[in-house]
PDB file of all heavy atoms in Angstrom:
ATOM      1  N   VAL F 236      27.033  22.513 -20.034  1.00  0.00           N
ATOM      2  CA  VAL F 236      27.314  22.188 -18.646  1.00  0.00           C
ATOM      3  C   VAL F 236      27.417  23.460 -17.807  1.00  0.00           C
ATOM      4  O   VAL F 236      27.116  23.395 -16.628  1.00  0.00           O
ATOM      5  CB  VAL F 236      28.688  21.420 -18.649  1.00  0.00           C
ATOM      6  CG1 VAL F 236      29.040  21.067 -17.182  1.00  0.00           C
ATOM      7  CG2 VAL F 236      28.555  20.148 -19.431  1.00  0.00           C
ATOM      8  N   ARG F 237      27.724  24.564 -18.362  1.00  0.00           N
ATOM      9  CA  ARG F 237      27.941  25.816 -17.676  1.00  0.00           C
ATOM     10  C   ARG F 237      26.696  26.569 -17.274  1.00  0.00           C
ATOM     11  O   ARG F 237      26.755  27.462 -16.401  1.00  0.00           O
ATOM     12  CB  ARG F 237      28.854  26.720 -18.499  1.00  0.00           C
ATOM     13  CG  ARG F 237      30.260  26.144 -18.663  1.00  0.00           C
ATOM     14  CD  ARG F 237      31.139  27.069 -19.411  1.00  0.00           C
ATOM     15  NE  ARG F 237      32.444  26.541 -19.627  1.00  0.00           N
ATOM     16  CZ  ARG F 237      32.828  25.693 -20.529  1.00  0.00           C
ATOM     17  NH1 ARG F 237      31.934  25.342 -21.446  1.00  0.00           N
ATOM     18  NH2 ARG F 237      34.047  25.222 -20.610  1.00  0.00           N
ATOM     19  N   ARG F 238      25.587  26.322 -17.877  1.00  0.00           N
ATOM     20  CA  ARG F 238      24.324  27.078 -17.558  1.00  0.00           C
ATOM     21  C   ARG F 238      23.106  26.161 -17.500  1.00  0.00           C
ATOM     22  O   ARG F 238      23.108  25.082 -18.129  1.00  0.00           O
ATOM     23  CB  ARG F 238      24.067  28.218 -18.456  1.00  0.00           C
ATOM     24  CG  ARG F 238      23.783  27.853 -19.935  1.00  0.00           C
ATOM     25  CD  ARG F 238      23.740  29.040 -20.821  1.00  0.00           C
ATOM     26  NE  ARG F 238      23.564  28.648 -22.244  1.00  0.00           N
ATOM     27  CZ  ARG F 238      22.430  28.453 -22.833  1.00  0.00           C
ATOM     28  NH1 ARG F 238      21.272  28.702 -22.174  1.00  0.00           N
ATOM     29  NH2 ARG F 238      22.404  28.052 -24.077  1.00  0.00           N
ATOM     30  N   THR F 239      22.149  26.536 -16.764  1.00  0.00           N
ATOM     31  CA  THR F 239      20.923  25.806 -16.580  1.00  0.00           C
ATOM     32  C   THR F 239      20.136  25.813 -17.877  1.00  0.00           C
ATOM     33  O   THR F 239      19.946  26.907 -18.498  1.00  0.00           O
ATOM     34  CB  THR F 239      20.090  26.396 -15.440  1.00  0.00           C
ATOM     35  OG1 THR F 239      20.919  26.397 -14.269  1.00  0.00           O
ATOM     36  CG2 THR F 239      18.883  25.546 -15.124  1.00  0.00           C
ATOM     37  N   PRO F 240      19.592  24.682 -18.317  1.00  0.00           N
ATOM     38  CA  PRO F 240      18.824  24.671 -19.586  1.00  0.00           C
ATOM     39  C   PRO F 240      17.602  25.612 -19.374  1.00  0.00           C
ATOM     40  O   PRO F 240      16.986  25.723 -18.334  1.00  0.00           O
ATOM     41  CB  PRO F 240      18.379  23.227 -19.673  1.00  0.00           C
ATOM     42  CG  PRO F 240      19.233  22.494 -18.778  1.00  0.00           C
ATOM     43  CD  PRO F 240      19.777  23.323 -17.738  1.00  0.00           C
ATOM     44  N   SER F 241      17.236  26.269 -20.435  1.00  0.00           N
ATOM     45  CA  SER F 241      16.099  27.215 -20.366  1.00  0.00           C
ATOM     46  C   SER F 241      14.766  26.498 -20.256  1.00  0.00           C
ATOM     47  O   SER F 241      13.837  27.058 -19.786  1.00  0.00           O
ATOM     48  CB  SER F 241      16.079  28.146 -21.621  1.00  0.00           C
ATOM     49  OG  SER F 241      16.064  27.352 -22.839  1.00  0.00           O
ATOM     50  N   ALA F 242      14.760  25.295 -20.679  1.00  0.00           N
ATOM     51  CA  ALA F 242      13.500  24.495 -20.673  1.00  0.00           C
ATOM     52  C   ALA F 242      13.530  23.518 -19.520  1.00  0.00           C
ATOM     53  O   ALA F 242      12.940  22.412 -19.634  1.00  0.00           O
ATOM     54  CB  ALA F 242      13.304  23.819 -22.009  1.00  0.00           C
ATOM     55  N   ILE F 243      14.098  23.849 -18.435  1.00  0.00           N
ATOM     56  CA  ILE F 243      14.270  22.834 -17.269  1.00  0.00           C
ATOM     57  C   ILE F 243      12.874  22.516 -16.730  1.00  0.00           C
ATOM     58  O   ILE F 243      12.643  21.319 -16.312  1.00  0.00           O
ATOM     59  CB  ILE F 243      15.227  23.371 -16.220  1.00  0.00           C
ATOM     60  CG1 ILE F 243      15.612  22.230 -15.259  1.00  0.00           C
ATOM     61  CG2 ILE F 243      14.617  24.527 -15.436  1.00  0.00           C
ATOM     62  CD1 ILE F 243      16.844  22.426 -14.486  1.00  0.00           C
ATOM     63  N   VAL F 244      11.984  23.453 -16.662  1.00  0.00           N
ATOM     64  CA  VAL F 244      10.603  23.157 -16.106  1.00  0.00           C
ATOM     65  C   VAL F 244       9.929  22.153 -17.089  1.00  0.00           C
ATOM     66  O   VAL F 244       9.256  21.216 -16.615  1.00  0.00           O
ATOM     67  CB  VAL F 244       9.805  24.467 -15.932  1.00  0.00           C
ATOM     68  CG1 VAL F 244       8.391  24.171 -15.561  1.00  0.00           C
ATOM     69  CG2 VAL F 244      10.510  25.353 -14.900  1.00  0.00           C
TER      70      VAL F 244
END
Side-chain angles (χ1 to χ4, degrees):
V236 177
R237 293 182 181 86
R238 62 184 177 95
T239 304
S241 57
I243 193 161
V244 174

